[in-house]
Amino acid sequence: MGIERVNSRIADIQSRMIALQTQQAAKTAQAQPTTVQGGGSGDDFAAKLQEAMSGTTNTAGTSARSFTLNSKGIPTELAAYGNGKIPANALEQVGSTRHKLWAPAAQGLNQMIADAKREGVTIGITDSYRPYEEQVDLARRKGLYSQGGLAAKPGTSEHGWGMATDLDLDSKAQAWMRKNADKYGFVENVPREPWHWAYKPKTA
Ligand SMILES: [Zn+2]
């Protein structure tokens, strides 16, 4: 087999494994779809308390919304649009930046940046949601990851689902991320790309 066939075989096996893991998670959750609460995982109680104190239910905002992932780990509400084809209004702005992500990821990232800042750690955002055309351009400029480059095959990038961000991190921030990011649902999941952080929320 040529290297490309091996790589595509590996990608196929990986996606099957992810699908299996997701199925398993769904089974443990009594066959219910994976549910992700908006915001940082530790904030649920605080959000509920605030809601109770204010005497209102937040219907317009995001804290009362819940989100689901399909069997491929893709946000159910975004899957139909396709990777890199998501309209801007289906994504959420990260704080006051120009960056957009899937709503729970945007909220998690915003919270994480704020918490890091309080500890004197600066986290900058280089990139976030990446439209299909930009994925094509990036692959042309940086080469495919499978061939030693730094770009996903267009149409397969985690950025194309608003599920990954590239961060500007100094060594202090990189260390902070490695210690704390998982609390906000972010994981460092691509070797050779310490700036790339994917949103992999824990299931509720
Ligand atoms: Zn990236």
Side-chain angles (χ1 to χ4, degrees):
M1 288 200 287
I3 189 76
E4 272 187 37
R5 273 195 60 82
V6 173
N7 282 331
S8 90
R9 185 86 183 109
I10 288 168
D12 183 49
I13 289 165
Q14 279 173 340
S15 71
R16 278 164 205 247
M17 281 173 68
I18 289 164
L20 275 171
Q21 282 164 0
T22 313
Q23 276 170 22
Q24 204 59 41
K27 267 184 209 153
T28 10
Q30 293 171 338
Q32 292 192 350
T34 309
T35 302
V36 182
Q37 295 294 334
S41 53
D43 292 336
D44 286 359
F45 177 75
K48 287 201 173 74
L49 183 66
Q50 198 174 26
E51 209 172 277
M53 302 271 284
S54 68
T56 56
T57 304
N58 186 355
T59 48
T62 44
S63 68
R65 283 165 71 195
S66 70
F67 302 89
T68 56
L69 298 176
N70 70 15
S71 63
K72 289 173 181 157
I74 293 161
T76 312
E77 64 186 292
L78 303 182
Y81 295 119
N83 185 297
K85 309 275 185 189
I86 303 169
N89 63 8
L91 295 166
E92 186 163 313
Q93 195 178 356
V94 182
S96 57
T97 70
R98 65 182 171 85
H99 292 282
K100 291 198 161 198
L101 288 174
W102 182 47
Q107 291 159 31
L109 179 56
N110 195 38
Q111 186 67 53
M112 182 167 70
I113 290 172
D115 290 352
K117 193 176 176 188
R118 267 192 292 278
E119 296 178 33
V121 173
T122 304
I123 295 172
I125 307 174
T126 309
D127 209 357
S128 45
Y129 169 69
R130 187 175 295 150
Y132 183 81
E133 297 71 27
E134 285 182 28
Q135 295 180 40
V136 171
D137 182 56
L138 193 77
R140 193 169 50 222
R141 289 187 293 112
K142 308 240 165 159
L144 290 180
Y145 191 87
S146 59
Q147 296 167 6
L150 293 172
K153 187 178 164 209
T156 69
S157 173
E158 291 170 330
H159 290 281
W161 293 117
M163 295 280 277
T165 181
D166 292 339
L167 300 176
D168 183 12
L169 305 167
D170 60 17
S171 58
K172 185 179 171 188
Q174 190 79 45
W176 189 94
M177 285 293 293
R178 285 174 175 158
K179 188 166 167 232
N180 297 292
D182 68 324
K183 288 181 224 154
Y184 303 87
F186 285 90
V187 297
E188 183 182 5
N189 67 341
V190 182
R192 296 197 275 120
E193 295 190 9
W195 56 84
H196 178 94
W197 292 82
Y199 186 66
K200 304 273 181 191
K202 294 187 181 81
T203 58

